C-alpha cells in the first residue's frame, strides 16, 4: 500500500473495506466524504493535492479542512446524500497557492 495509509475508523458509520482498497490503490487523487460531517478519507495522490494540509486533513471534517471552498463541498454533500449526481466541469485545481489554498487555474 501507499506511504500515507490510515483509517480513522472512529468516524465511519459504514463498512468501507472494499471501498477503501479501491481508493488507496488508485493513482488518481480521490477523496470520499463520510457521514453528515464529510469526514475525509483519501489516497496518496490526494495527499499531494492537499499539500501542507496533509496529514492533518486526513480524517478531518471537509468544512473545517477546506473552509475556503465550504459552499462547494456543502453542495456536493447535499446533492449526493439526497441520492443525486453531480456533473462538475473539468477544471485544473492547484493547492500550491500561498498557505496551501486551492485555486482554479
Amino acid at each position: 500500500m501507499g506511504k500515507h495509509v490510515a483509517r480513522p475508523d472512529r468516524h465511519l458509520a459504514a463498512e468501507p473495506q472494499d471501498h477503501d482498497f479501491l481508493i488507496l490503490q488508485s493513482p488518481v487523487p480521490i477523496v470520499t466524504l463520510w457521514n453528515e460531517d464529510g469526514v475525509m478519507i483519501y489516497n496518496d495522490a490526494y495527499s499531494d493535492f492537499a499539500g501542507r494540509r496533509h496529514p492533518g486533513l486526513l480524517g478531518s471534517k471537509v468544512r473545517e479542512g477546506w473552509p475556503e471552498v465550504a459552499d462547494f463541498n456543502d453542495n456536493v454533500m447535499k446533492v449526493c446524500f439526497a441520492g443525486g449526481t453531480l456533473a462538475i466541469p473539468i477544471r485544473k485545481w492547484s493547492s500550491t497557492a500561498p498557505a496551501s489554498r486551492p485555486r482554479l487555474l
Side-chain angles (χ1 to χ4, degrees):
M1 293 219 172
K3 60 187 176 198
H4 301 296
V5 177
R7 292 187 51 198
D9 290 335
R10 68 188 182 280
H11 296 294
L12 304 181
E15 296 295 329
Q17 290 87 358
D18 293 336
H19 186 258
D20 284 354
F21 179 78
L22 291 172
I23 290 170
L24 293 174
Q25 296 303 313
S26 177
V28 176
I30 299 175
V31 61
T32 59
L33 306 178
W34 287 90
N35 69 40
E36 64 278 351
D37 290 325
V39 174
M40 292 183 282
I41 306 296
Y42 55 81
N43 63 3
D44 283 344
Y46 192 88
S47 70
D48 293 336
F49 174 81
R52 293 178 291 199
R53 295 180 194 218
H54 177 77
L57 204 59
L58 185 65
S60 71
K61 298 173 182 180
V62 70
R63 291 176 192 91
E64 295 170 6
W66 296 107
E68 62 276 20
V69 288
D71 290 343
F72 173 82
N73 286 314
D74 281 339
N75 184 58
V76 168
M77 291 193 303
K78 176 184 170 187
V79 171
C80 293
F81 281 133
T85 58
L86 293 168
I88 301 169
I90 296 174
R91 298 179 186 182
K92 191 171 185 180
W93 287 84
S94 170
S95 64
T96 59
S100 198
R101 297 184 72 181
R103 61 183 172 88
L104 283 172
L105 297 178

